[in-house]
Every structure is written in structure tokens, then in C-alpha cells.
Amino acid sequence: MSEPRKIIIDTDPGQDDAAAIMLALGSPELDILGITTVAGNVPLSRTSTNARIILEFCARTDVKVFAGADKPIARPLITAEHVHGKTGLDGPELHEPQMPLQTQHAVDFIIETLRSEPEGTVTLCTLGPLTNIATALEKAPDIAGRVRELVMMGGGFFEGGNITPAAEFNIYVDPEAASIVFQSGIPIVMMPLDVTHKVLTLKSRVAELRAIGNRPATALVEMLEFFERFDVEKYGSDGGPLHDPTVIAYLLKPDLFAGRDCNVEIETASPLTVGMTVVDWWQVTGRKHNARVMKDVDADGFFALLTERVGRL
Ligand code: RIB
Ligand code: CA
């Protein structure tokens, strides 16, 4: 096997974030340099607690957790307890984490890591609002040219939004941060709702995860059974969209996904559509391509990968 791929996971756990982190932990192709937390689904103190709970469920307290931004760049924080529950990880019985939170701020960890690792070797995997990444770019513009790739869950185009008719939650919480990131020149791979709404936690798929029987899988199933209730009720679907692990799955098996290079701009002004990702899928604007936007996914292949890797924990 070639050298493991160095990644930083920036996250707002969140039950689907937990699935993404477990997928990464079960994959030796990846070297997790650190986990950085951001305010999003729930406030920062809770996302920082949740990241450590997830690592302790997986007996991986060797991975360091750095707390980042406690609110968006230019707006008040909007959270999603209505989806994720008060803790953000509702479902399993949760303990108070014993492992420490690093004292270094997440933004400084991101900057320091990108400057110290060889250029073009670190991949940023973002699972929440882009506040930490945008703040790092503002503080240290030189890091933009050092990032290998930024693979992010966020946005939507034909699928619309999920927190408003036009906007997906991660972008809506901090549209200014998203605009900074999409204008940064960093090679971006975008996993929008158009993809994540195709990876539903069908009962048969959850049963496969439950059959694993280890502690991480048991906790994950309890998280998903809580998390999916909101989307099942909203969309009348069998299971809910498992958004965040698509980011990690792309690193492991990119051929599970299909999309195209597009121009993506972020609406930051209109009260009606703020947070919208305006994706030029049909290439009508002539604007510069700044993201590889995914649209289709092999859902069965995705869940087979997730199940196999969680089974290794
Ligand atoms: O809109 C879905 C995204 O918002 C996911 O990352 C979920 O965890 C929430 O952060
Ligand atoms: Ca998330």
C-alpha cells in the first residue's frame, strides 16, 4: 500500500459526522493528523465533546481534537438540535469524555500543519460549516496553495436546500466562510444534497451495520435510528440521508461517485436565498471552474464500504 493519505477532519458532530469519523478510523489508507471542531449542529463545546466521545467509542484516543470557531464569521450561530437532539449525538447513552481537548486552537493547528507538512500532501475533509477553514485562510493566505484537496459536504443544486428551500445547512450557517473557501483556489470536491439524498439509511443497511456487533457499530446504529427520524418524517423516505461519510468514502473509493467540474458561487446577500450554492452545472456562465461537483453515487457500494470499515474498528 502506498503512503497513507494525510487528512484533517473538520467537523460539527452530529450523528452523520460520527459515521464519517468511524469510516476514516477504520481505513488504513488514511492518516488522520487531527480532528478540528466547529460550531454547527450544536454549539462548539458540544461538538468538541462529541468528537472525543466518538473517538472513545472507537478506542482511538490517540487522535487529537482541537476546538475551533464558536460562531460564524459574520452572523449569529444557527444550530440544528431539532435534527440531532440536544447533545448533537442523541441515540446511544453518552459518557463524559476522559481524553483531553488540545489547548491549541483548531485554526492555528490547521495553519501550522499545512505549513509544516510537505506542500500538496494534506487533504482537508469538512463536514460542517466552513468557519475554521475560512478563518485559517484569512489569517494565513499562504496555506491555500499548500492544500492537496478540500473535500466537503455542503450545498445543493437540483435538490435545493434542507434548512431553507434554497440553502443546505453547512453553507447556510456561514455563507461568508463558504464564499471565502470557494474563492480560495483550493481544489474542491463538493458532496451536495444531490448526492447525500441518494445514500439513505434503509432498514436493510442499518441491519447490516447492527450485525457487526462491535461497540462503535452498536453506538452508530443507535445514533442513526435517532438521526433518521427527522428526515423520514420530512421526506417520507425509508431512512435518512447519511451526508458526511460521503466525504471520506470519496477519498477511499472515488469511483463510487460521478460529477463534473463547475463554477460554484455562494449567495451571501439575498434574505430569500442566502446560503444557496449557485452551481453552473450546465456551464452557461463561462465562469471559472472552482469545484468538482458530485451528483451521483453507487449507494450500495457506499454502504458496503462503510459497513466493512466500521467492522474493522
Ligand atoms: O445538511 C447536512 C449537513 O449539516 C451535515 O454535515 C450535518 O451533519 C449537518 O452538519
Ligand atoms: Ca456535519
mmCIF file of all heavy atoms in Angstrom, residues 12-17 40-41 80 83-84 126-129 153-155 162-163 168-171 193 196-197 227 243-244, ligand 1:
data_model
loop_
_atom_site.group_PDB
_atom_site.id
_atom_site.type_symbol
_atom_site.label_atom_id
_atom_site.label_comp_id
_atom_site.label_asym_id
_atom_site.label_seq_id
_atom_site.Cartn_x
_atom_site.Cartn_y
_atom_site.Cartn_z
ATOM 1 N N ASP A 12 -18.665 18.998 12.908
ATOM 2 C CA ASP A 12 -19.608 19.507 13.924
ATOM 3 C C ASP A 12 -20.498 18.358 14.404
ATOM 4 O O ASP A 12 -21.725 18.397 14.240
ATOM 5 C CB ASP A 12 -20.457 20.665 13.362
ATOM 6 C CG ASP A 12 -21.375 20.220 12.211
ATOM 7 O OD1 ASP A 12 -21.058 19.213 11.529
ATOM 8 O OD2 ASP A 12 -22.420 20.874 12.003
ATOM 9 N N PRO A 13 -19.915 17.313 15.009
ATOM 10 C CA PRO A 13 -20.701 16.096 15.298
ATOM 11 C C PRO A 13 -21.939 16.391 16.159
ATOM 12 O O PRO A 13 -21.821 17.058 17.191
ATOM 13 C CB PRO A 13 -19.724 15.223 16.102
ATOM 14 C CG PRO A 13 -18.383 15.821 15.941
ATOM 15 C CD PRO A 13 -18.581 17.259 15.587
ATOM 16 N N GLY A 14 -22.926 15.796 15.752
ATOM 17 C CA GLY A 14 -23.602 15.256 14.570
ATOM 18 C C GLY A 14 -23.399 13.756 14.380
ATOM 19 O O GLY A 14 -22.286 13.257 14.344
ATOM 20 N N GLN A 15 -24.576 13.062 14.296
ATOM 21 C CA GLN A 15 -24.567 11.618 14.124
ATOM 22 C C GLN A 15 -23.947 11.221 12.783
ATOM 23 O O GLN A 15 -23.201 10.246 12.693
ATOM 24 C CB GLN A 15 -26.002 11.034 14.211
ATOM 25 C CG GLN A 15 -26.624 11.100 15.601
ATOM 26 C CD GLN A 15 -27.396 12.377 15.868
ATOM 27 O OE1 GLN A 15 -27.253 13.357 15.113
ATOM 28 N NE2 GLN A 15 -28.185 12.387 16.933
ATOM 29 N N ASP A 16 -24.225 11.985 11.727
ATOM 30 C CA ASP A 16 -23.649 11.606 10.428
ATOM 31 C C ASP A 16 -22.159 11.920 10.377
ATOM 32 O O ASP A 16 -21.383 11.221 9.720
ATOM 33 C CB ASP A 16 -24.402 12.237 9.248
ATOM 34 C CG ASP A 16 -24.416 13.756 9.284
ATOM 35 O OD1 ASP A 16 -24.616 14.328 10.369
ATOM 36 O OD2 ASP A 16 -24.234 14.370 8.224
ATOM 37 N N ASP A 17 -21.746 12.953 11.138
ATOM 38 C CA ASP A 17 -20.312 13.212 11.299
ATOM 39 C C ASP A 17 -19.648 12.010 11.967
ATOM 40 O O ASP A 17 -18.540 11.614 11.587
ATOM 41 C CB ASP A 17 -20.076 14.438 12.180
ATOM 42 C CG ASP A 17 -20.712 15.704 11.650
ATOM 43 O OD1 ASP A 17 -21.952 15.788 11.627
ATOM 44 O OD2 ASP A 17 -19.980 16.613 11.240
ATOM 45 N N GLY A 40 -21.871 24.211 14.845
ATOM 46 C CA GLY A 40 -22.762 23.943 13.706
ATOM 47 C C GLY A 40 -24.022 23.252 14.180
ATOM 48 O O GLY A 40 -24.932 23.879 14.719
ATOM 49 N N ASN A 41 -24.039 21.934 14.076
ATOM 50 C CA ASN A 41 -25.237 21.193 14.526
ATOM 51 C C ASN A 41 -25.619 21.576 15.955
ATOM 52 O O ASN A 41 -26.791 21.674 16.294
ATOM 53 C CB ASN A 41 -24.963 19.685 14.468
ATOM 54 C CG ASN A 41 -24.976 19.155 13.051
ATOM 55 O OD1 ASN A 41 -25.804 19.561 12.242
ATOM 56 N ND2 ASN A 41 -24.042 18.276 12.738
ATOM 57 N N ALA A 80 -28.796 22.968 15.050
ATOM 58 C CA ALA A 80 -29.799 22.032 14.491
ATOM 59 C C ALA A 80 -30.151 20.937 15.505
ATOM 60 O O ALA A 80 -30.189 19.748 15.177
ATOM 61 C CB ALA A 80 -29.269 21.405 13.211
ATOM 62 N N VAL A 83 -32.727 18.383 14.676
ATOM 63 C CA VAL A 83 -32.379 17.198 13.865
ATOM 64 C C VAL A 83 -31.541 16.222 14.690
ATOM 65 O O VAL A 83 -31.800 15.017 14.713
ATOM 66 C CB VAL A 83 -31.572 17.608 12.608
ATOM 67 C CG1 VAL A 83 -31.165 16.375 11.803
ATOM 68 C CG2 VAL A 83 -32.358 18.582 11.752
ATOM 69 N N HIS A 84 -30.552 16.770 15.412
ATOM 70 C CA HIS A 84 -29.535 15.922 16.046
ATOM 71 C C HIS A 84 -29.787 15.678 17.526
ATOM 72 O O HIS A 84 -29.050 14.936 18.169
ATOM 73 C CB HIS A 84 -28.149 16.548 15.839
ATOM 74 C CG HIS A 84 -27.770 16.640 14.385
ATOM 75 N ND1 HIS A 84 -27.103 15.633 13.720
ATOM 76 C CD2 HIS A 84 -27.999 17.602 13.462
ATOM 77 C CE1 HIS A 84 -26.934 15.980 12.450
ATOM 78 N NE2 HIS A 84 -27.473 17.163 12.268
ATOM 79 N N THR A 126 -14.124 18.511 5.209
ATOM 80 C CA THR A 126 -15.014 19.338 6.045
ATOM 81 C C THR A 126 -16.424 18.759 6.058
ATOM 82 O O THR A 126 -16.999 18.469 5.007
ATOM 83 C CB THR A 126 -15.038 20.791 5.538
ATOM 84 O OG1 THR A 126 -15.691 20.851 4.270
ATOM 85 C CG2 THR A 126 -13.634 21.351 5.413
ATOM 86 N N LEU A 127 -16.950 18.644 7.267
ATOM 87 C CA LEU A 127 -18.255 18.008 7.485
ATOM 88 C C LEU A 127 -19.266 18.983 8.096
ATOM 89 O O LEU A 127 -20.382 18.580 8.442
ATOM 90 C CB LEU A 127 -18.094 16.793 8.413
ATOM 91 C CG LEU A 127 -16.950 15.823 8.107
ATOM 92 C CD1 LEU A 127 -16.910 14.714 9.136
ATOM 93 C CD2 LEU A 127 -17.064 15.263 6.699
ATOM 94 N N GLY A 128 -18.874 20.216 8.285
ATOM 95 C CA GLY A 128 -19.743 21.214 8.912
ATOM 96 C C GLY A 128 -19.559 22.564 8.246
ATOM 97 O O GLY A 128 -19.000 22.667 7.144
ATOM 98 N N PRO A 129 -20.035 23.631 8.916
ATOM 99 C CA PRO A 129 -19.796 24.977 8.391
ATOM 100 C C PRO A 129 -18.299 25.221 8.196
ATOM 101 O O PRO A 129 -17.467 24.677 8.914
ATOM 102 C CB PRO A 129 -20.367 25.875 9.507
ATOM 103 C CG PRO A 129 -21.390 25.010 10.193
ATOM 104 C CD PRO A 129 -20.839 23.613 10.156
ATOM 105 N N MET A 153 -18.723 18.300 2.536
ATOM 106 C CA MET A 153 -20.151 18.030 2.454
ATOM 107 C C MET A 153 -20.816 19.391 2.599
ATOM 108 O O MET A 153 -20.640 20.094 3.586
ATOM 109 C CB MET A 153 -20.645 17.090 3.561
ATOM 110 C CG MET A 153 -22.094 16.633 3.351
ATOM 111 S SD MET A 153 -23.300 17.859 3.904
ATOM 112 C CE MET A 153 -24.492 17.789 2.559
ATOM 113 N N GLY A 154 -21.625 19.750 1.580
ATOM 114 C CA GLY A 154 -22.348 21.010 1.693
ATOM 115 C C GLY A 154 -22.981 21.385 0.374
ATOM 116 O O GLY A 154 -22.609 20.889 -0.682
ATOM 117 N N GLY A 155 -23.969 22.255 0.482
ATOM 118 C CA GLY A 155 -24.608 22.785 -0.719
ATOM 119 C C GLY A 155 -25.636 21.852 -1.332
ATOM 120 O O GLY A 155 -25.904 20.762 -0.834
ATOM 121 N N ASN A 162 -31.957 22.252 2.528
ATOM 122 C CA ASN A 162 -32.645 21.471 3.578
ATOM 123 C C ASN A 162 -32.975 22.328 4.807
ATOM 124 O O ASN A 162 -33.857 22.000 5.577
ATOM 125 C CB ASN A 162 -31.837 20.238 3.995
ATOM 126 C CG ASN A 162 -30.438 20.576 4.491
ATOM 127 O OD1 ASN A 162 -30.065 21.757 4.591
ATOM 128 N ND2 ASN A 162 -29.660 19.544 4.820
ATOM 129 N N ILE A 163 -32.286 23.446 4.978
ATOM 130 C CA ILE A 163 -32.613 24.325 6.113
ATOM 131 C C ILE A 163 -33.491 25.480 5.644
ATOM 132 O O ILE A 163 -34.308 25.999 6.373
ATOM 133 C CB ILE A 163 -31.319 24.832 6.814
ATOM 134 C CG1 ILE A 163 -31.657 25.581 8.111
ATOM 135 C CG2 ILE A 163 -30.483 25.700 5.887
ATOM 136 C CD1 ILE A 163 -31.960 24.661 9.276
ATOM 137 N N GLU A 168 -28.446 24.664 1.954
ATOM 138 C CA GLU A 168 -28.115 23.476 2.774
ATOM 139 C C GLU A 168 -27.498 23.981 4.075
ATOM 140 O O GLU A 168 -26.811 25.022 4.096
ATOM 141 C CB GLU A 168 -27.148 22.599 1.966
ATOM 142 C CG GLU A 168 -26.625 21.375 2.676
ATOM 143 C CD GLU A 168 -25.456 21.722 3.599
ATOM 144 O OE1 GLU A 168 -24.688 22.644 3.269
ATOM 145 O OE2 GLU A 168 -25.362 21.108 4.677
ATOM 146 N N PHE A 169 -27.617 23.246 5.166
ATOM 147 C CA PHE A 169 -27.278 23.743 6.499
ATOM 148 C C PHE A 169 -25.814 24.217 6.627
ATOM 149 O O PHE A 169 -25.574 25.317 7.157
ATOM 150 C CB PHE A 169 -27.553 22.629 7.529
ATOM 151 C CG PHE A 169 -27.228 23.014 8.944
ATOM 152 C CD1 PHE A 169 -28.109 23.802 9.688
ATOM 153 C CD2 PHE A 169 -26.044 22.609 9.524
ATOM 154 C CE1 PHE A 169 -27.805 24.160 11.006
ATOM 155 C CE2 PHE A 169 -25.729 22.963 10.839
ATOM 156 C CZ PHE A 169 -26.613 23.743 11.573
ATOM 157 N N ASN A 170 -24.848 23.422 6.205
ATOM 158 C CA ASN A 170 -23.441 23.780 6.426
ATOM 159 C C ASN A 170 -23.072 25.112 5.775
ATOM 160 O O ASN A 170 -22.298 25.895 6.312
ATOM 161 C CB ASN A 170 -22.506 22.687 5.887
ATOM 162 C CG ASN A 170 -22.497 21.457 6.764
ATOM 163 O OD1 ASN A 170 -22.892 21.509 7.936
ATOM 164 N ND2 ASN A 170 -22.088 20.323 6.202
ATOM 165 N N ILE A 171 -23.669 25.361 4.606
ATOM 166 C CA ILE A 171 -23.376 26.619 3.909
ATOM 167 C C ILE A 171 -24.184 27.750 4.529
ATOM 168 O O ILE A 171 -23.692 28.862 4.753
ATOM 169 C CB ILE A 171 -23.686 26.501 2.402
ATOM 170 C CG1 ILE A 171 -23.015 25.282 1.791
ATOM 171 C CG2 ILE A 171 -23.285 27.786 1.669
ATOM 172 C CD1 ILE A 171 -21.505 25.266 1.843
ATOM 173 N N LEU A 193 -26.354 17.923 -1.396
ATOM 174 C CA LEU A 193 -27.543 17.126 -1.077
ATOM 175 C C LEU A 193 -27.950 16.250 -2.268
ATOM 176 O O LEU A 193 -28.566 15.187 -2.083
ATOM 177 C CB LEU A 193 -28.701 18.053 -0.706
ATOM 178 C CG LEU A 193 -28.520 18.908 0.553
ATOM 179 C CD1 LEU A 193 -29.749 19.804 0.751
ATOM 180 C CD2 LEU A 193 -28.280 18.039 1.794
ATOM 181 N N THR A 196 -26.058 13.275 -1.288
ATOM 182 C CA THR A 196 -26.310 12.668 0.030
ATOM 183 C C THR A 196 -27.766 12.204 0.184
ATOM 184 O O THR A 196 -28.060 11.297 0.951
ATOM 185 C CB THR A 196 -25.935 13.623 1.179
ATOM 186 O OG1 THR A 196 -26.815 14.763 1.186
ATOM 187 C CG2 THR A 196 -24.493 14.096 1.039
ATOM 188 N N HIS A 197 -28.656 12.787 -0.586
ATOM 189 C CA HIS A 197 -30.055 12.323 -0.537
ATOM 190 C C HIS A 197 -30.237 11.004 -1.278
ATOM 191 O O HIS A 197 -31.325 10.432 -1.300
ATOM 192 C CB HIS A 197 -31.001 13.390 -1.102
ATOM 193 C CG HIS A 197 -31.289 14.489 -0.112
ATOM 194 N ND1 HIS A 197 -32.247 15.447 -0.311
ATOM 195 C CD2 HIS A 197 -30.728 14.783 1.085
ATOM 196 C CE1 HIS A 197 -32.273 16.273 0.725
ATOM 197 N NE2 HIS A 197 -31.352 15.904 1.586
ATOM 198 N N PHE A 227 -31.248 9.838 14.397
ATOM 199 C CA PHE A 227 -30.975 10.897 13.411
ATOM 200 C C PHE A 227 -31.944 10.834 12.239
ATOM 201 O O PHE A 227 -32.445 11.833 11.757
ATOM 202 C CB PHE A 227 -29.533 10.728 12.940
ATOM 203 C CG PHE A 227 -29.129 11.501 11.720
ATOM 204 C CD1 PHE A 227 -28.983 12.886 11.766
ATOM 205 C CD2 PHE A 227 -28.882 10.842 10.522
ATOM 206 C CE1 PHE A 227 -28.571 13.592 10.639
ATOM 207 C CE2 PHE A 227 -28.480 11.539 9.394
ATOM 208 C CZ PHE A 227 -28.323 12.915 9.451
ATOM 209 N N HIS A 243 -25.242 12.040 5.177
ATOM 210 C CA HIS A 243 -24.481 13.083 4.482
ATOM 211 C C HIS A 243 -22.957 12.935 4.589
ATOM 212 O O HIS A 243 -22.282 12.748 3.583
ATOM 213 C CB HIS A 243 -24.851 14.468 5.058
ATOM 214 C CG HIS A 243 -26.299 14.787 5.061
ATOM 215 N ND1 HIS A 243 -27.017 15.142 3.940
ATOM 216 C CD2 HIS A 243 -27.187 14.818 6.089
ATOM 217 C CE1 HIS A 243 -28.273 15.381 4.254
ATOM 218 N NE2 HIS A 243 -28.408 15.192 5.557
ATOM 219 N N ASP A 244 -22.421 13.026 5.777
ATOM 220 C CA ASP A 244 -20.982 13.300 5.929
ATOM 221 C C ASP A 244 -20.028 12.180 5.520
ATOM 222 O O ASP A 244 -18.944 12.467 5.000
ATOM 223 C CB ASP A 244 -20.696 13.734 7.383
ATOM 224 C CG ASP A 244 -21.281 15.117 7.673
ATOM 225 O OD1 ASP A 244 -21.542 15.873 6.707
ATOM 226 O OD2 ASP A 244 -21.485 15.438 8.852
HETATM 227 O O1 RIB B 1 -27.008 19.474 5.748
HETATM 228 C C1 RIB B 1 -26.338 18.349 6.272
HETATM 229 C C2 RIB B 1 -25.097 18.759 6.994
HETATM 230 O O2 RIB B 1 -25.429 19.604 8.081
HETATM 231 C C3 RIB B 1 -24.359 17.559 7.632
HETATM 232 O O3 RIB B 1 -22.986 17.833 7.703
HETATM 233 C C4 RIB B 1 -24.930 17.509 9.005
HETATM 234 O O4 RIB B 1 -24.048 16.903 9.952
HETATM 235 C C5 RIB B 1 -25.076 18.983 9.302
HETATM 236 O O5 RIB B 1 -23.811 19.458 9.736
#
